[in-house]
Amino acid sequence: MHPASPARPANAAHAAYRTLWRWHFYAALFVMPFLVILAVTGTLYCFQPQIEPLLYPHRLVVAPVNAPRLSEDELLARAAAAVPPGSRATTATIEADPARSAEFVFRYPDGDKYSVYLNPYTGVVLGTLSVDRRFMQVDRMIHRKLLLGKPGELIMELAACWTLVLIGTGVALWWPRGAFTWRGVLWPRFDLGGRLFWKSLHAALGIWLAAGALAFVVTGLPWSGSWGKHFKSLATQVDLGSPPGVWGGTTLRSVIPGQDKHSGPPAGQGSAGASAHAGHGMGDMPGMAMGDSDMPGMVMDDLPLPQTAWAVGATHVPESPEGGSAAARPLSLNRVLAIAGAHGLTAGYDLALPASPSGVYTVSYFPADPKRERVLHIDQYSGKVLGDIRYRDYGAVSKAVSYGTALHMGRYFGLANQLICTLISLGLASIAVTGFVMWWKRRPPRALGAPARLPTPATMRRWKIGLTTLGVIFPLMGGTMLAVWALDSVIARFRMPS
């Protein structure tokens, strides 16, 4: 064997740097546009409590008066009279703020969902808003799926996963080598000019925001449409999410008076016996896959609730065989609210109304403090509480995700939390902009400008293991990593001199 050349370690270090830079470049090429979208939409959504009353003041805001509110049943009846015939009430928002209007969500006969707002003191209808087309909902759907449905959801999930590569390679490229001063690597060099200044600014911003970016990705991925859904299901199955047995041995169903709970619908009576509330039938819940024998039943994520705690999203909603008794009368809305109040929930929650004669009322309390999260399932006839899920019932994973969600959304410690999220989000958008400027200044004419491909040195074994591990944990990302590697290899082979 020949003795190692003194230049060989330097060449290996140079090759490792160029390899990391190449992966950082490819990750940035894909991630940066979506990073800007996530930053802008996430910042807006973080301030939803402040923005929405400014956008829709005549619908959402009322002047509190020294008088009792109308009953919820009266308000629901007035809301029902203001929507097209055949519309079905799905959700009631039970407000805690005396300056906010009462809100009920209806599904119109054409399938569109609208919120109806009323003055809770006078019963005057203040107006309606499309649930899916209101500004903050559109912003949320851009943030989650680019308004492209499932394909957009997968793209945003991929962008989040590739951000992990971007963070890891970015920190490695920044890591000081040789003689350095901490001020020089932690603070932009404003004395430099041209591309060097932008590189210094990009690196300094990146290192200061790396931890925040990592926190955003880790706390956001559990809500993603593909990986997040399977992760939630797995956590629930192994009792690290919301354990399947949190409700004990109680049969989760609304028992219809006059009907044996083990029997089917009375003879000659099917789903036509659907219950009505305030003159509007509840009908089957939207999104329910009726007639699918493989579907075990609805879960909390299927309910028409604006917000559902991650820990309970995969838990099943009580259900029973279809059918009903003509004499069966659902509880009034006021009675259901009284039951929720007796269990400690007085206001500030959403109430999903029964979807069928055998459905239940579901109370979803999703406050800023995860320890106070709560779900109640209430029998629509007897008022019996069939399910009561609290933070203490969550598994370790769900408890961690709950806190991560509260921090990610800027909810946990008020305005300060919102401002920190804004600082991180806009900082990440700035990193994307500075990265683009760096590329623009160094790009060759009519070429992509990717760093040159060099043989990967043996010293990068840990990086290979790390990237492989990421690909296994996030299969969607792993597939695209293989595709990028294969495409890069093909391009490099064609460019090799003959």
Side-chain angles (χ1 to χ4, degrees):
M1 292 179 62
H2 297 286
S5 166
R8 193 165 297 171
N11 290 338
H14 176 69
Y17 183 89
R18 301 288 293 198
T19 301
L20 289 175
W21 183 13
R22 192 171 178 86
W23 276 100
H24 188 77
F25 176 86
Y26 282 133
L29 197 66
F30 170 63
V31 167
M32 288 304 185
F34 302 111
L35 201 58
V36 174
I37 294 172
L38 286 169
V40 174
T41 56
T43 298
L44 288 173
Y45 195 72
C46 193
F47 285 93
Q48 180 185 12
Q50 292 93 334
I51 292 175
E52 282 211 314
L54 297 176
L55 292 175
Y56 313 111
H58 301 300
R59 296 179 180 90
L60 273 63
V61 182
V62 298
V65 297
N66 188 21
R69 293 168 55 104
L70 296 179
S71 73
E72 294 298 326
D73 289 291
E74 174 66 17
L75 291 170
L76 178 55
R78 295 195 182 199
V83 297
S87 300
R88 295 171 176 176
T90 62
T91 314
T93 297
I94 311 303
E95 268 294 343
D97 186 350
R100 291 298 290 268
S101 59
E103 178 184 359
F104 298 94
V105 177
F106 286 82
R107 177 174 283 270
Y108 283 12
D110 62 4
D112 287 343
K113 293 176 290 183
Y114 281 84
S115 290
V116 180
Y117 298 93
L118 306 94
N119 186 312
Y121 306 102
T122 66
V124 173
V125 176
L126 303 175
T128 63
L129 281 176
S130 168
V131 171
D132 295 324
R133 292 191 292 274
R134 62 196 295 169
F135 178 80
M136 293 311 303
Q137 179 65 8
V138 172
D139 176 80
R140 183 187 180 195
M141 289 300 100
I142 294 174
H143 188 79
R144 293 191 63 183
K145 54 184 72 175
L146 299 172
L147 298 180
L148 297 175
K150 193 63 177 179
E153 202 169 27
L154 296 178
I155 289 172
M156 295 308 261
E157 180 178 324
L158 270 177
C161 292
W162 273 93
T163 300
L164 297 174
V165 177
L166 201 62
I167 295 170
T169 54
V171 171
L173 292 171
W174 165 89
W175 199 261
R177 295 167 179 80
F180 71 94
T181 62
W182 283 110
R183 177 179 174 80
V185 296
L186 293 175
W187 195 254
R189 294 285 305 276
F190 293 103
D191 57 321
L192 299 175
R195 181 175 174 274
L196 290 179
F197 161 73
W198 289 102
K199 181 179 180 181
S200 173
L201 180 60
H202 182 82
L205 283 172
I207 200 62
W208 280 107
L209 294 172
L214 181 62
F216 266 178
V217 173
V218 171
T219 55
L221 274 173
W223 291 89
S224 61
S226 177
W227 184 85
K229 182 178 180 180
H230 290 94
F231 177 61
K232 181 191 297 185
S233 178
L234 177 62
T236 301
Q237 290 173 14
V238 299
D239 289 359
L240 291 176
S242 190
V246 294
W247 298 307
T250 305
T251 300
L252 299 183
R253 61 181 57 189
S254 253
V255 179
I256 302 171
Q259 179 181 336
D260 184 348
K261 67 180 180 179
H262 295 294
S263 67
Q269 187 172 359
S271 58
S275 64
H277 203 309
H280 285 251
M282 297 305 171
D284 293 327
M285 189 65 73
M288 197 171 176
M290 304 304 294
D292 186 347
S293 60
D294 294 331
M295 186 175 182
M298 292 179 63
V299 296
M300 282 290 296
D301 280 340
D302 296 325
L303 294 180
L305 294 166
Q307 297 284 356
T308 302
W310 186 89
V312 300
T315 60
H316 291 287
V317 177
E319 59 180 3
S320 66
E322 287 189 12
S325 168
R329 297 289 298 175
L331 296 175
S332 69
L333 204 53
N334 276 7
R335 178 60 183 146
V336 174
L337 268 56
I339 294 170
H343 284 77
L345 296 176
T346 56
Y349 58 83
D350 295 294
L351 178 65
L353 307 179
S356 69
S358 53
V360 297
Y361 287 98
T362 296
V363 175
S364 176
Y365 184 48
F366 190 54
D369 184 355
K371 285 188 176 179
R372 298 170 59 203
E373 291 177 1
R374 190 98 172 265
V375 168
L376 290 179
H377 295 296
I378 301 173
D379 187 298
Q380 67 168 306
Y381 303 106
S382 69
K384 182 178 181 180
V385 174
L386 302 176
D388 185 352
I389 311 177
R390 310 185 187 207
Y391 176 85
R392 67 191 181 200
D393 300 311
Y394 296 176
V397 170
S398 286
K399 287 181 178 179
V401 171
S402 294
Y403 271 97
T405 298
L407 292 167
H408 185 102
M409 297 177 66
R411 294 159 42 96
Y412 187 50
F413 50 93
L415 181 60
N417 196 166
Q418 290 175 308
L419 293 176
I420 290 174
C421 287
T422 299
L423 184 65
I424 296 173
S425 293
L426 298 184
L428 292 175
S430 299
I431 292 175
V433 171
T434 56
F436 174 81
V437 172
M438 287 169 54
W439 168 77
W440 187 262
K441 286 182 172 292
R442 66 171 288 275
R443 81 195 197 292
R446 296 183 298 277
L448 184 59
R453 189 176 193 270
L454 299 176
T456 304
T459 55
M460 298 196 69
R461 185 177 303 163
R462 293 179 183 176
W463 278 97
K464 292 180 180 179
I465 295 174
L467 290 174
T468 301
T469 302
L470 277 178
V472 171
I473 296 175
F474 304 106
L476 190 63
M477 176 192 179
T480 58
M481 287 173 64
L482 287 174
V484 169
W485 173 81
L487 182 62
D488 188 50
S489 299
V490 170
I491 292 174
R493 183 171 301 175
F494 276 107
R495 287 183 176 177
M496 288 178 62
S498 56

